[in-house]
Amino acid sequence: MLQEVSYLDWNNSLKILNKAYEAGLFVLVIGPKGTGKTSLVRDFAKSKNSKLDSINFSLRTRESHLVGSKTLTEGTVSFEEGILLKSMREGNVLYLDEINSAEADVLLRLDEALDDRRQVILKESTGEVITAKENWFVIATINPLTHSGTKELPPQLLSRFPVRIRLEYPPEDIELEIIKKHVSDADEDTIKQGIKLANTLRQAAAVEELFYSPSLRETISFGKLVSAEVTPKEAANIVFGNVYSQWGQVEYQKVSDIISSMFGK
Ligand SMILES: Nc1ncnc2c1ncn2[C@@H]1O[C@H](COP(=O)(O)OP(=O)(O)OP(=O)(O)O)[C@@H](O)[C@H]1O
Ligand SMILES: [Mg+2]
């Protein structure tokens, strides 16, 4: 069922990633959820024939996830490498997802690895100096600061990602093209209506009239339900409308009214 869909490079992000890669400059991708950040990075790594090492940061991420830790197996102590070291040694693409969700102290070790020397001193075990293999490349993402649980990235870390790509919701005609890559046989006018609805909700969320902003995941899912012969109105309620009931009847009713005005009573 799940086929890999190639990334539609609608704002030249892939091109900029390639330039950054050639110049050895690390990249920060900034944008709200579901705007294609992960798909972009996956496609880029694939195009470079490079292995992709990914880590999704949260409050529970520890320095040991990045660098590694000592483990005791059958009486012998050995050092188990974390994802940062592994990617440096192998010269892979390292994807640091939602880097601004981590505690600041976890990020300190990245300052070391990401400076011009690309080295980490293994103070955890032998004190060995690990130097990154050529072509090691790092891409990080951050969600906008309004996103719950996010913190400001420390400036010294921010400065280690001098190439910054903004990835927002695409214009309507582009979003239609993207959905058509994922949904083969849906009615174009209906999809356009779904995108219009999504943008109305996004705009309302942007000015804090609603609590939630639908992403490309939702517009793609709307397309899939419609192509599975769910009626447009019902698909709109299922994908876009119902979720707002978790913020109460008033919030839900606001969105229901918008859906009725666009898809009929
Ligand atoms: N330019 C694009 N071309 C093809 N598909 C896309 C594009 N942008 C987004 N998509 C699709 O939209 C969905 C969400 O994209 P993705 O998971 O990459 O977003 P994200 O920004 O990483 O989200 P999150 O912030 O929640 O991790 C995926 O199904 C992806 O394939
Ligand atoms: Mg993602």
Side-chain angles (χ1 to χ4, degrees):
M1 263 306 268
L2 261 187
Q3 74 276 41
E4 188 87 34
V5 173
S6 65
Y7 183 79
L8 182 87
D9 191 20
W10 59 277
N11 64 358
N12 278 333
S13 297
L14 264 179
K15 192 178 122 198
I16 295 164
L17 272 181
N18 274 296
K19 298 280 179 206
Y21 183 84
E22 283 160 28
L25 303 172
F26 295 154
V27 177
L28 185 68
V29 184
I30 307 160
K33 73 182 149 47
T35 46
K37 300 183 291 295
T38 301
S39 324
L40 167 69
V41 172
R42 277 214 185 125
D43 246 47
F44 169 74
K46 207 161 104 189
S47 76
K48 287 278 164 286
N49 273 325
S50 178
K51 246 181 89 184
L52 183 64
D53 290 320
S54 304
I55 174 166
N56 194 266
F57 284 82
S58 73
L59 283 175
R60 282 175 305 176
T61 309
R62 293 287 161 263
E63 199 177 305
S64 59
H65 296 133
L66 293 173
V67 181
S69 55
K70 282 183 178 155
T71 54
L72 186 66
T73 25
E74 290 167 10
T76 39
V77 179
S78 59
F79 186 73
E80 199 172 319
E81 250 177 28
I83 196 157
L84 172 67
L85 286 201
K86 175 180 172 284
S87 77
M88 289 174 84
R89 275 192 208 278
E90 296 180 359
N92 298 336
V93 173
L94 177 62
Y95 179 39
L96 307 170
D97 204 9
E98 296 184 39
I99 194 173
N100 60 334
S101 309
E103 303 274 14
D105 64 313
V106 176
L107 301 174
L108 283 175
R109 234 31 208 292
L110 285 174
D111 291 351
E112 190 186 352
L114 298 176
D115 83 6
D116 297 336
R117 281 163 298 179
R118 315 269 196 253
Q119 286 180 339
V120 167
I121 299 169
L122 256 193
K123 62 175 192 218
E124 285 82 353
S125 64
T126 52
E128 188 189 347
V129 178
I130 311 289
T131 306
K133 198 170 156 189
E134 223 194 306
N135 290 338
W136 181 57
F137 192 61
V138 186
I139 305 169
T141 71
I142 57 175
N143 286 109
L145 287 173
T146 47
H147 196 80
S148 67
T150 53
K151 289 178 270 299
E152 205 173 316
L153 212 57
Q156 76 277 13
L157 188 55
L158 194 54
S159 73
R160 283 160 168 75
F161 297 96
V163 175
R164 290 91 186 232
I165 296 176
R166 282 184 62 217
L167 211 51
E168 291 292 325
Y169 302 118
E172 295 196 358
D173 54 331
I174 305 278
E175 189 158 355
L176 176 65
E177 290 312 308
I178 294 173
I179 295 170
K180 280 161 74 181
K181 278 167 102 44
H182 292 262
V183 184
S184 49
D185 55 351
D187 175 60
E188 217 172 88
D189 288 333
T190 309
I191 307 283
K192 281 187 191 162
Q193 280 283 90
I195 296 171
K196 230 180 215 88
L197 171 60
N199 277 330
T200 304
L201 302 176
R202 288 166 187 166
Q203 280 149 21
V207 294
E208 293 178 358
E209 277 170 20
L210 289 175
F211 283 106
Y212 182 78
S213 185
S215 73
L216 267 96
R217 280 192 200 104
E218 275 99 335
T219 51
I220 292 168
S221 304
F222 173 79
K224 286 184 174 169
L225 287 185
V226 169
S227 100
E229 291 177 15
V230 177
T231 66
K233 167 117 199 229
E234 197 178 3
N237 280 324
I238 293 170
V239 173
F240 296 108
N242 291 347
V243 66
Y244 291 94
S245 59
Q246 66 176 309
W247 292 284
Q249 184 60 25
V250 175
E251 180 93 353
Y252 172 71
Q253 199 55 50
K254 268 195 238 172
V255 178
S256 278
D257 292 346
I258 297 171
I259 292 176
S260 295
S261 73
M262 293 179 75
F263 291 89
K265 290 261 174 225

